[in-house]
Amino acid sequence: MMNNAQRQLSRRDREQQLDGLIEAYWDERSEDFSKLRQKELSGPCAAAWQAYLAGKLAADKPLKVLDIGTGAGFFAVLLSRMGHQVTGIDMSADMLHQAKQNVLAAGCSAEFRKMNAQELDFAAETFDVVISRNLTWTLPDVMQAYREWQRVLKKGGKLLNFDSDYGLVTFSRKEDQADVHANIRQELVTECNDIKDELRISTHRRPEWDARFLRDLGMQVTVEEEIAPQVRTDKNMQFDTLPLFAIIASK
């Protein structure tokens, strides 16, 4: 029988294995994913997202922003255009390569670093804003991620997290070319389902769980259950039908 120390080590080992699988998955998805974000940036979604973010940040000066799970740099481009100082992090080196290319192509500037969202290499109270989109559903330890995100926020800073409750969903391959998930290999779809089903966050119903946990950390939390009609405004792009929730938490 394992003692507590052995169980902790075993869980940590599995989380590290999951981190590796997740990184490899997004490395392979990076080029196609970047094309999707480029399409968003060139269409009406970009303006819609920018207007939404401007309303939530209500900033009269440049802010230091940490874009966690920056992916292909969608938020990095938008927030840089808005005049903010953006640092984007991601576990996937291939994603970061795409992000750098997209930021350069947009004529913007941002710093990018390869980093685990659950283990941030920043001092406490470094950023005015921490932002993330469709990341938390992929993390082995969301509780630790939220603790880290709060730690690096300045007093009065804001956490903006946009995600969906994918835990009960089984992903399937899409044939419709207008679907944002079209042309993904079946093997990758299967791998995505296998990884998702192993993650603890998949057992929680969201965003209620997230809001409770962040409040337990002492943050002031507002939840918007569905913002897709405000930001997914491109009729030529078919996103999934799950509600896209927004969590706005202040430290």
Side-chain angles (χ1 to χ4, degrees):
M1 180 177 294
M2 289 191 299
N3 59 32
N4 286 337
Q6 290 172 323
R7 280 194 292 270
Q8 288 280 65
L9 182 60
S10 177
R11 182 164 62 242
R12 182 56 183 154
D13 286 345
R14 185 53 187 154
E15 286 178 357
Q16 289 177 338
Q17 290 176 346
L18 283 170
D19 282 340
L21 290 172
I22 293 165
E23 180 177 351
Y25 172 85
W26 288 110
D27 277 345
E28 182 164 350
R29 288 279 316 273
S30 61
E31 189 171 347
D32 287 339
F33 190 81
S34 182
K35 291 176 182 176
L36 166 64
R37 291 295 180 246
Q38 290 167 19
K39 186 175 180 180
E40 275 194 286
L41 284 168
S42 64
C45 289
W49 268 110
Q50 193 162 316
Y52 181 90
L53 294 176
K56 296 305 175 188
L57 297 179
D60 57 3
K61 63 179 182 180
L63 302 173
K64 288 190 67 174
V65 181
L66 178 61
D67 178 15
I68 299 184
T70 188
F74 181 79
F75 277 161
V77 170
L78 295 187
L79 291 161
S80 177
R81 284 175 177 170
M82 295 164 65
H84 301 303
Q85 179 184 341
V86 184
T87 300
I89 68 167
D90 206 285
M91 279 182 63
S92 166
D94 290 348
M95 278 290 193
L96 290 173
H97 173 73
Q98 297 293 333
K100 292 173 185 176
Q101 298 302 310
N102 291 332
V103 166
L104 284 173
C108 302
S109 63
E111 177 187 355
F112 293 103
R113 296 175 61 179
K114 189 177 187 299
M115 196 178 300
N116 189 324
Q118 302 157 137
E119 299 172 0
L120 300 181
D121 187 21
F122 299 108
E125 301 190 0
T126 297
F127 297 96
D128 300 296
V129 177
V130 169
I131 191 168
S132 182
R133 174 189 181 191
N134 295 127
L135 172 72
T136 38
W137 74 275
T138 73
L139 296 178
D141 193 344
V142 180
M143 292 186 291
Q144 178 60 21
Y146 276 145
R147 292 186 193 102
E148 280 286 272
W149 301 3
Q150 184 207 38
R151 181 183 65 80
V152 301
L153 268 178
K154 296 178 183 178
K155 184 68 175 178
K158 284 187 178 179
L159 163 62
L160 304 179
N161 183 25
F162 308 100
D163 208 348
S164 297
D165 188 5
Y166 291 111
L168 299 179
V169 173
T170 299
F171 299 117
S172 59
R173 191 173 187 276
K174 307 296 184 183
E175 302 295 340
D176 187 342
Q177 293 304 298
D179 195 285
V180 299
H181 302 297
N183 300 323
I184 300 174
R185 291 191 300 108
Q186 182 57 51
E187 293 85 354
L188 277 179
V189 175
T190 300
E191 183 178 354
C192 184
N193 280 315
D194 290 345
I195 293 172
K196 174 186 65 66
D197 290 345
E198 279 206 53
L199 300 176
R200 281 180 288 170
I201 189 64
S202 296
T203 67
H204 299 303
R205 299 286 58 84
R206 310 179 66 200
E208 294 83 3
W209 177 87
D210 305 70
R212 284 197 303 271
F213 187 79
L214 289 168
R215 289 184 179 117
D216 286 345
L217 291 180
M219 302 190 79
Q220 296 179 327
V221 181
T222 299
V223 174
E224 296 179 8
E225 299 277 352
E226 170 65 297
I227 67 164
Q230 299 177 61
V231 295
R232 292 177 173 171
T233 53
D234 192 338
K235 303 304 180 184
N236 295 314
M237 299 184 73
Q238 298 177 15
F239 293 86
D240 61 63
T241 58
L242 286 179
L244 176 66
F245 63 74
I247 296 173
I248 303 97
S250 298
K251 183 173 178 179

